[in-house]
Amino acid sequence: MPFANPFLKAVSSLDPCNRKTSVALELMKELPLYASNVVQDSEKEAYDLEIHNFQNDHFSDIVEESVDLWWGDVENTLKYPLLSRMTFALLTCFHEPKVESSFSIMNNVITPGSNRLNVSTFNAMQCIKYELRSQKKKKKKKSAVCMFSKHDFLKEKVDPKLVRNVRNSRNVYFVKLKQNKSLREERIKELNASKEKALTKKAAKKMSADATKRQRINHKKKLTHFKETA
């Protein structure tokens, strides 16, 4: 049964079995319309050239593994960076049960005690979780301890990138703390200013009421004096 959805038709061109056909070529040209943030306007010509070369390149059209792994081999050739970027952006759009499972994983990470995680921190945790899951699917069954462990942690050199990332994360953390502190102070100042304004309005109303009362008393005195003299 053919796809009635134009987006699904365009994405079907990424199937290796549909390669080297004029229809797949035309559908690949339409992919930037559905993912406009992946390929910039200045890269459109280079993208069109890549898909033409890709259609004529020699790759195995028999997929013995999943499509994303097949495209991973294509990406490793470094011949088609724009096409690979577009492909993985579209292949990572999951749906149905995978969406529900992602929310379940998110609920395991974001709890009432850790509901102030930054998006970048949560993203890093999710990437590690999915990497560990993929290792289990490949029957390597690596835990986080096994993956990041060292043979001799006392003598092995420390990864400079890891040290740099730790320092950067520390600096970012303290910058965030300062920003949050300054925001709280600004909010407190705004609240105090609003209270002062409210008190000023209240005082103004009281002054107006007192002035009205004094005028009424003076008016009564004048009337009384006028009656007595008459």
Side-chain angles (χ1 to χ4, degrees), residues 7-228:
F7 171 71
L8 295 179
K9 285 183 179 180
V11 174
S12 67
S13 64
L14 300 177
D15 191 338
C17 299
N18 296 331
R19 207 164 63 90
K20 296 184 178 180
T21 61
S22 59
V23 176
L25 179 62
E26 294 301 322
L27 291 175
M28 277 189 170
K29 290 181 180 179
E30 297 177 3
L31 291 177
L33 299 176
Y34 302 102
S36 57
N37 60 327
V38 178
V39 176
Q40 305 299 324
D41 292 336
S42 58
E43 299 173 328
K44 289 290 180 62
E45 293 184 4
Y47 173 79
D48 291 340
L49 180 61
E50 283 189 14
I51 61 176
H52 278 87
N53 294 334
F54 171 75
Q55 294 293 333
N56 298 320
D57 206 341
H58 298 287
F59 289 106
S60 175
D61 296 334
I62 301 174
V63 183
E64 298 179 353
E65 50 193 0
S66 61
V67 177
D68 55 343
L69 294 178
W70 187 90
W71 274 99
D73 296 335
V74 175
E75 184 186 26
N76 291 335
T77 62
L78 304 178
K79 293 182 180 179
Y80 312 105
L82 297 176
L83 180 58
S84 299
R85 191 197 309 168
M86 175 65 67
T87 301
F88 285 110
L90 294 172
L91 290 180
T92 50
C93 298
F94 50 87
H95 55 88
E96 294 178 353
K98 291 186 177 180
V99 177
E100 298 297 331
S101 64
S102 66
F103 281 113
S104 299
I105 295 173
M106 182 175 67
N107 291 332
N108 292 335
V109 176
I110 301 178
T111 62
S114 60
N115 57 0
R116 298 178 67 182
L117 282 175
N118 290 333
V119 176
S120 57
T121 306
F122 175 71
N123 186 32
M125 295 174 70
Q126 291 292 80
C127 289
I128 294 173
K129 282 179 176 287
Y130 281 116
E131 176 64 22
L132 293 174
R133 280 190 169 191
S134 65
Q135 295 295 334
K136 288 182 179 180
K137 288 182 179 179
K138 295 176 184 177
K139 297 182 179 180
K140 294 182 180 180
K141 294 184 179 179
K142 282 188 176 181
S143 64
V145 177
C146 295
M147 180 173 287
F148 302 106
S149 64
K150 292 185 176 183
H151 297 291
D152 189 351
F153 62 89
L154 292 177
K155 295 182 180 180
E156 285 188 17
K157 293 183 179 179
V158 178
D159 187 358
K161 290 183 179 180
L162 178 62
V163 176
R164 185 164 57 250
N165 290 337
V166 171
R167 288 178 177 173
N168 289 338
S169 62
R170 177 186 179 277
N171 294 334
V172 170
Y173 173 72
F174 281 106
V175 168
K176 288 286 185 182
L177 283 181
K178 289 182 180 179
Q179 290 177 351
N180 293 335
K181 185 178 179 180
S182 61
L183 286 174
R184 284 196 299 269
E185 291 176 352
E186 288 179 1
R187 288 175 182 173
I188 291 172
K189 287 181 181 179
E190 290 177 358
L191 289 173
N192 292 334
S194 62
K195 287 181 180 179
E196 289 177 0
K197 289 181 180 179
L199 290 173
T200 304
K201 288 181 180 179
K202 188 176 181 180
K205 287 182 179 179
K206 186 178 180 181
M207 290 175 62
S208 177
D210 292 342
T212 304
K213 186 177 180 180
R214 284 195 299 270
Q215 288 179 357
R216 187 166 54 250
I217 291 171
N218 292 333
H219 181 67
K220 286 182 178 180
K221 286 182 179 179
K222 287 181 180 179
L223 288 176
T224 304
H225 179 70
F226 179 76
K227 288 180 180 179
E228 290 177 353

